């Protein structure tokens, strides 16, 4: 073990042993530590005080992770298990929360906390964040609370995060960032076992390393000061979804996802998906896309139809985008829309338009993020199961075609 890693390991092992003995961790002993670190970020957490008291983090990654029922969550450097236990409750009995820590004493403490809290869908693994002991594409969300800054090999950490995330999976961590003005001499002074922050990244370097690992949508937001020239921050990123050209081999899965969307009552006036022959005839062959999971299963699709045979409307299409209910919330729709926009613009299409039921808030927000604007409401357009429905008309005008 690297001497610096060994020092960090021993420091947190001693903290865990103190907590197991009911003596507290002894880590938040510096001036102002209690106001910047640990339990202060978990006010209102419904867990025993002895659990929140062992938090040593600089933030609360769950405040931005937006966990959903049924998801699998991995906490890097899980310590006493606070974020794992809170995650386990949010993902529910059908979900799974995994804590990874390199310290046996911390794992013992975390398992005790899980038992005391009555949490049964959490587990704790021994390992390092540079070599995560999980299969490829096995988790939906990776969280961490001010642990990545301690790693001596951050490119390896980010590479491992990208490896274990499923396509569309996301990263939401709290971490320590360094000011651009932090000098090498100041870094060296902080490299001991007490600070362990000599290698803290700047915001720009953090973004670059996440992009190098293949993650997209990187967002870094500084939250508060954590020390001289050091700041706590929330960092988000996403693993891209694989989007490929749709073929006839995808037909059954495309129609099944279409039907699942129609069954919600919020996707279309139609109630039954058409045959593949009818679907094929109604959609332009040039802009048909599917999103795939790691096994090659279709988890979403997008396509367009012509709005008119008149030449003046040659650059205007109407689109559809549908996502498998089991894959929703994983960036699939966003990836499909981005690919569809690129495909249509490359073909000289300047307007993509469609209609959305007003009640379909998720679709309206998805399209807003993709650059669509709502241009009006057509009232009582038609009836679905005997109920008159309005339709919000949306469109996206290309900024480079026809401008």
């Amino acid at each position: 073990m690297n001497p610096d890693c060994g020092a960090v390991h021993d420091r947190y092992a001693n903290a865990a042993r103190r907590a197991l003995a009911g003596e507290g961790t002894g880590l938040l002993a510096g001036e102002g530590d209690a106001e910047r670190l640990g339990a202060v970020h978990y006010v209102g957490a419904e867990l025993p005080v002895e659990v929140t008291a062992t938090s040593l983090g600089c933030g609360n990654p769950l405040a931005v992770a937006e966990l959903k029922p049924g998801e699998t969550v991995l906490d890097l450097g899980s310590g006493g298990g606070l974020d794992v236990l809170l995650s386990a409750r949010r993902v529910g009995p059908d979900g799974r929360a995994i804590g990874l820590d390199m310290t046996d004493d911390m794992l013992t403490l975390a398992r005790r906390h899980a038992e005391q809290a009555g949490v049964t869908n959490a587990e704790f693994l021994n390992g390092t964040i540079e070599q995560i002991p999980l299969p490829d594409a096995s988790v939906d969300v990776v969280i961490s609370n001010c642990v990545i800054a301690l790693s001596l090999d951050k490119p390896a950490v980010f590479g491992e995060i990208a490896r274990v995330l499923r396509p569309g999976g996301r990263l939401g961590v709290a971490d320590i960032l360094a000011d651009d003005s932090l000098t090498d001499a100041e870094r060296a002074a902080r490299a001991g076992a007490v600070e362990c922050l000599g290698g803290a990244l700047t915001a720009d370097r953090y973004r670059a390393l996440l992009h190098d690992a293949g993650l997209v949508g990187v967002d870094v937001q500084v939250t508060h000061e954590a020390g001289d020239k050091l700041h706590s921050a929330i960092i988000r990123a996403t693993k891209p979804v694989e989007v490929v050209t749709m073929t006839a081999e995808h037909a059954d899965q495309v129609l099944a996802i279409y039907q699942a969307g129609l069954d919600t009552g919020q996707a279309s006036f139609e109630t039954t998906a058409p045959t593949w022959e009818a679907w094929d005839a109604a959609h332009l062959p040039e802009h048909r896309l599917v999103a795939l999971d790691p096994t090659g299963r279709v988890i979403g699709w997008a396509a367009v139809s012509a709005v008119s045979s008149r030449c003046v409307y040659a650059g205007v299409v109407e689109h559809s985008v549908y996502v498998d209910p089991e894959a929703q919330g994983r960036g699939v729709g966003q990836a499909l829309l981005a690919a569809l926009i690129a495909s249509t613009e490359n073909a000289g299409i300047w307007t993509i338009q469609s209609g959305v039921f007003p009640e379909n808030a998720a679709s309206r927000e998805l399209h807003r993020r993709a650059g669509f604007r709502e241009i009006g409401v057509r009232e009582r357009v038609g009836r679905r199961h005997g109920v008159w429905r309005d339709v919000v008309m949306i469109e996206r005008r290309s900024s480079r075609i026809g401008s």
Side-chain angles (χ1 to χ4, degrees):
M1 180 181 290
N2 180 286
D4 289 336
C5 291
V8 174
H9 175 280
D10 292 344
R11 182 175 182 236
Y12 284 90
N14 290 333
R17 284 192 286 269
R18 287 174 58 84
L20 287 167
E23 300 173 359
T25 65
L27 289 181
L28 302 184
E31 183 178 354
D33 280 355
E35 287 73 39
R36 298 192 303 263
L37 305 172
V40 66
H41 301 292
Y42 294 88
V43 176
E46 296 181 0
L47 284 172
V49 65
E50 59 267 24
V51 179
T52 57
T54 59
S55 171
L56 308 173
C58 60
N60 180 357
L62 299 185
V64 297
E66 299 179 3
L67 303 183
K68 301 176 180 62
E71 290 187 316
T72 297
V73 185
L74 170 65
D75 180 18
L76 301 181
S78 51
L82 173 60
D83 290 325
V84 176
L85 302 188
L86 292 173
S87 297
R89 290 186 171 178
R90 294 194 184 187
V91 300
D94 294 330
R96 179 183 177 205
I98 305 167
L100 176 67
D101 204 278
M102 67 176 181
T103 310
D104 287 332
D105 295 287
M106 276 294 183
L107 294 169
T108 298
L109 179 64
R111 291 174 182 132
R112 174 195 284 185
H113 287 159
E115 183 178 359
Q116 291 173 339
V119 174
T120 59
N121 60 331
E123 59 185 289
F124 297 91
L125 304 177
N126 186 295
T128 68
I129 62 176
E130 295 84 5
Q131 291 183 304
I132 299 173
L134 289 173
D136 295 355
S138 57
V139 302
D140 299 298
V141 186
V142 172
I143 63 173
S144 184
N145 200 341
C146 296
V147 171
I148 296 174
L150 306 180
S151 173
L152 300 179
D153 190 353
K154 295 176 181 65
V157 176
F158 297 141
E160 282 291 271
I161 290 171
R163 180 184 66 81
V164 300
L165 278 174
R166 296 184 176 118
R170 57 201 187 276
L171 169 74
V173 304
D175 208 3
I176 297 292
L177 300 183
D179 278 355
D180 293 333
S181 61
L182 188 66
T183 67
D184 291 342
E186 289 170 327
R187 286 183 180 277
R190 298 159 192 255
V194 175
E195 291 291 348
C196 306
L197 294 173
L201 300 173
T202 64
D204 285 345
R205 184 59 177 156
Y206 218 112
R207 292 186 187 95
L209 289 180
L210 287 173
H211 282 302
D212 289 347
L215 300 178
V216 298
V218 178
D219 178 54
V220 178
Q221 295 185 5
V222 173
T223 56
H224 60 278
E225 184 176 303
D228 183 31
K229 297 186 179 181
L230 296 172
H231 301 276
S232 295
I234 290 293
I235 299 97
R236 303 178 181 88
T238 303
K239 183 172 179 177
V241 174
E242 182 181 11
V243 178
V244 301
T245 300
M246 184 191 302
T247 70
E249 294 180 354
H250 299 128
D252 290 344
Q253 296 178 80
V254 166
L255 295 179
I257 292 172
Y258 193 1
Q259 186 62 58
L262 297 180
D263 289 343
T264 67
Q266 299 299 333
S268 171
F269 284 104
E270 303 296 330
T271 58
T272 304
T275 64
W276 177 250
E277 291 73 20
W279 189 98
D280 184 43
H283 293 85
L284 298 178
E286 297 88 354
H287 313 289
R288 302 177 179 185
L289 303 166
V290 290
L292 304 177
D293 73 4
T295 69
R297 182 176 69 91
V298 176
I299 54 176
W301 62 267
V304 301
S305 304
V307 300
S308 173
S309 60
R310 296 173 60 188
C311 293
V312 70
Y313 290 108
V316 183
V317 295
E318 183 171 349
H319 82 293
S320 299
V321 57
Y322 283 77
V323 177
D324 186 328
E326 295 183 2
Q328 290 177 357
R330 288 165 45 188
V332 177
Q334 181 180 2
L336 284 166
L337 277 180
L340 186 68
I341 290 167
S343 175
T344 53
E345 288 197 334
N346 288 338
I349 290 172
W350 56 80
T351 300
I352 306 174
Q353 65 182 41
S354 192
V356 181
F357 287 140
E359 299 83 1
N360 194 343
S363 181
R364 293 173 69 178
E365 176 61 17
L366 170 67
H367 285 88
R368 185 193 66 77
R369 292 182 179 180
F372 284 76
R373 64 189 182 107
E374 297 183 355
I375 59 175
V377 177
R378 296 184 66 189
E379 298 179 348
R380 296 169 61 84
V381 174
R383 290 187 296 179
R384 193 179 193 283
H385 292 313
V387 178
W388 286 98
R389 303 289 296 271
D390 298 342
V391 173
V392 177
M393 306 307 298
I394 61 173
E395 72 170 21
R396 182 188 186 278
R397 298 294 301 270
S398 172
S399 60
R400 64 184 184 91
I401 309 295
S403 59

